[in-house]
Amino acid sequence: MRLAADLLLLTGAIFCFLGALGLIRMPDIYNRIQAGTKSATLGSIAIIAGVGLLYPEWWSKLLCIIGFLLFTSPVSSSVLARAVYLSGVKPWSKSSRSKLSSSKPGRQQKTLNTQKPLNTQGEES
Amino acid sequence: MTFSLIQQIAVGFIIAALLLGFIRLLIGPDAANRVISADTMSVTVTAALVVFAAYFESALFLDVALVYGAIAFIGVIAIARAIKGDSA
Amino acid sequence: MFNRLNLHHHLFLFTVIFLLWLLLTGSVALDELIVGFFVAVVVSLISAPYITVFEGIRYRPTALISVFTYLVYFSIALVRANFDMARRVLSPSLPISPELLEVETRLESKLGQMLLANSITLTPGTLSVELRHNRILVHWIAAPEGIDLEQATNDIATGFEKHISGFLK
């Protein structure tokens, strides 16, 4: 039990560390959001679960924290990504930076705004 | 509670993660980069507060972690709105 | 005042608040239960007309099974996503080819679409950026060359949708 808790704590901490490393290494804001959110979320959950194994009598409150993190952390990162997207930041691209940033996002923006009618394929449910 | 060696290493990794996040917070070219690093750090700090609770053997820190997470979430949402600016 | 759906709504809200109370207090002593019960009744009665997020829930027994399978599927995806991200961050050459692309969803309720967007954010290499009508704009960290909407939908959203549509419209 003790060893399992230790290992959970260690993996969680390492994931948190990798997320922060991704924050430094990734080339643009979207990738940083990806690296940061995913790793920090699972890392924190693993750490909290590890503490839960050490102190089983805290499980209910720890469950609250885990649920809260699972719910809010993707929301805040999506809201941030949306704000960045709407303020006009183009995603970084490895190969042809200038060409992609001039054509791709513009097309995406246009198709998003056309508001096509609902696909009727899934209506029956 | 005294921490075992593995737990101490884990704490070291958490501190390193916070330091790296802080570096991004300092150098981040614009506000959005700073906010995302602050967001990542706040999630890590929530976990760190739970580790604090284990270290001091006090369930009080769990409430601190919960409230801290809530406030950090609201803060990020508010700043995201500010970044989005006048584009509704 | 209480038609059928409304009653379900009230009961669900009450259950959520009561469970939250139990988890936060962390005890099942009788006085805690009684206070929690009354608080949950009062809060759910007052706030029910204003809370519209729970509209899309399907109230049926099989929904619980769907919730469970969704949670299992989601946990596996979350762990896979992290190993994937760890591999990308640690490899010296940064193997990423990010792109923004669209994904279509069949889910109609706000809660369902939000849950899907959240799931997409936490799964391997994808981040939902914008949600408009039934389309989600996704930032994919390693998008294959020349992928179109249908294929992207299949790769990213369909797996979650299958489980989510079991308990949300």
Side-chain angles (χ1 to χ4, degrees), chain C residues 68-80:
Chain C
F68 182 72
T69 52
Y70 164 74
L71 284 179
V72 172
Y73 186 87
F74 173 76
S75 318
I76 294 172
L78 181 58
V79 173
R80 257 186 46 222

Side-chain angles (χ1 to χ4, degrees), chain A residues 120-125, chain C residues 58 60 106-108 165 168-169:
Chain A
T120 48
Q121 175 195 344
E123 288 282 275
E124 91 286 343
S125 53
Chain C
R58 295 178 199 276
R60 60 182 188 200
R106 291 186 285 116
L107 299 168
E108 287 162 26
S165 62
L168 288 169
K169 286 182 188 118

Side-chain angles (χ1 to χ4, degrees), chain C residues 1-12 48 59:
Chain C
M1 177 184 169
F2 290 103
N3 60 30
R4 195 171 149 71
L5 192 81
N6 220 327
L7 185 64
H8 278 153
H9 180 71
H10 277 87
L11 273 180
F12 183 77
Y59 296 103

Side-chain angles (χ1 to χ4, degrees), chain A residues 2-118:
Chain A
R2 177 80 195 232
L3 186 70
D6 283 9
L7 286 182
L8 265 179
L9 277 173
L10 188 63
T11 36
I14 288 177
F15 273 130
C16 278
F17 174 74
L18 287 178
L21 193 66
L23 219 54
I24 299 287
R25 283 202 67 194
M26 287 297 179
D28 82 335
I29 177 80
Y30 295 102
N31 294 304
R32 282 176 200 147
I33 293 177
Q34 289 226 19
T37 312
K38 285 200 224 320
S39 310
T41 309
L42 186 76
S44 304
I45 289 173
I47 291 173
I48 294 170
V51 173
L53 284 184
L54 287 177
Y55 292 88
E57 67 272 18
W58 290 353
W59 69 270
S60 65
K61 206 160 272 183
L62 293 177
L63 198 66
C64 276
I65 300 178
I66 287 181
F68 184 79
L69 275 185
L70 267 183
F71 213 65
T72 59
S73 131
V75 170
S76 65
S77 70
S78 281
V79 167
L80 203 59
R82 178 164 184 269
V84 170
Y85 174 75
L86 289 182
S87 71
V89 178
K90 310 274 188 282
W92 176 90
S93 176
K94 193 177 244 172
S95 49
S96 49
R97 223 176 151 161
S98 53
K99 196 185 80 192
L100 255 179
S101 61
S102 64
S103 66
K104 266 284 159 47
R107 184 180 63 80
Q108 295 287 357
Q109 183 96 48
K110 215 167 64 202
T111 46
L112 247 183
N113 284 335
T114 48
Q115 302 176 6
K116 286 194 181 161
L118 279 170

